[in-house]
Amino acid sequence: MVKIVVVSEYSLNPPEDGQGRVKIASGPLYELTRVQKLAAAGGLNTWTDRCDKAVYDLFAGDLEAVAGLLGHLRPGDYRDSEWCTNGRNALAACDAYALRRVEWVASVDKEMGVEYFVKFAVGKAGQLVLLVSCHLS
């Protein structure tokens, strides 16, 4: 039997089968201003291979730019909370947010509305934001 490890600060009632995408009803799990401060101070890390690739594609791998994006989140941007897996026997309880904003889109040479979807958890030690997902919706 494979042992599943919970790596997030929030650890109540993880799914017994170790599978992710199980909703958590009591969210948001993490205080947004605290997450923003941790990310701005350099405490941000991509936690999945898919997220790492998305951050590279959207921001040339610049985690400071992602921290800046997180800094624009507001409580009203919150969507839901759920358990997520990194595919390597670890689970994290995550909050998901969607942020809509107007940006210059070079490929069409004009400003357009874009929506970012981000999902993150605070690590068990409380010093690191684990970025699970960051992509355009």
Side-chain angles (χ1 to χ4, degrees):
M1 182 172 170
V2 176
K3 179 166 172 64
I4 302 298
V5 177
V6 175
V7 299
S8 58
E9 192 174 68
Y10 181 94
S11 61
L12 299 176
N13 304 315
E16 292 180 19
D17 62 3
Q19 298 299 309
R21 303 228 181 210
V22 174
K23 298 294 181 187
I24 303 169
S26 62
L29 307 173
Y30 309 103
E31 182 187 357
L32 184 56
T33 56
R34 178 174 166 234
V35 168
Q36 291 167 325
K37 287 177 184 174
L38 286 170
L44 182 62
N45 191 14
T46 55
W47 191 61
T48 65
D49 293 338
R50 187 174 178 185
C51 182
D52 193 49
K53 182 183 179 332
V55 167
Y56 182 79
D57 290 345
L58 288 172
F59 302 101
D62 183 359
L63 289 177
E64 286 184 26
V66 178
L69 180 73
L70 293 178
H72 285 92
L73 293 175
R74 299 294 170 252
D77 299 326
Y78 172 77
R79 294 297 171 251
D80 62 13
S81 300
E82 68 183 13
W83 286 100
C84 297
T85 181
N86 67 351
R88 295 183 294 274
N89 303 324
L91 284 172
C94 299
D95 286 338
Y97 287 76
L99 174 66
R100 291 179 185 91
R101 63 189 209 174
V102 175
E103 292 185 357
W104 181 260
V105 180
S107 61
V108 293
D109 198 32
K110 66 179 182 177
E111 284 190 336
M112 293 181 63
V114 295
E115 183 176 45
Y116 288 94
F117 178 81
V118 293
K119 193 182 315 180
F120 53 79
V122 173
K124 191 169 277 214
Q127 300 300 310
L128 187 66
V129 176
L130 306 172
L131 191 64
V132 175
S133 186
C134 180
H135 57 82
L136 294 175
S137 293

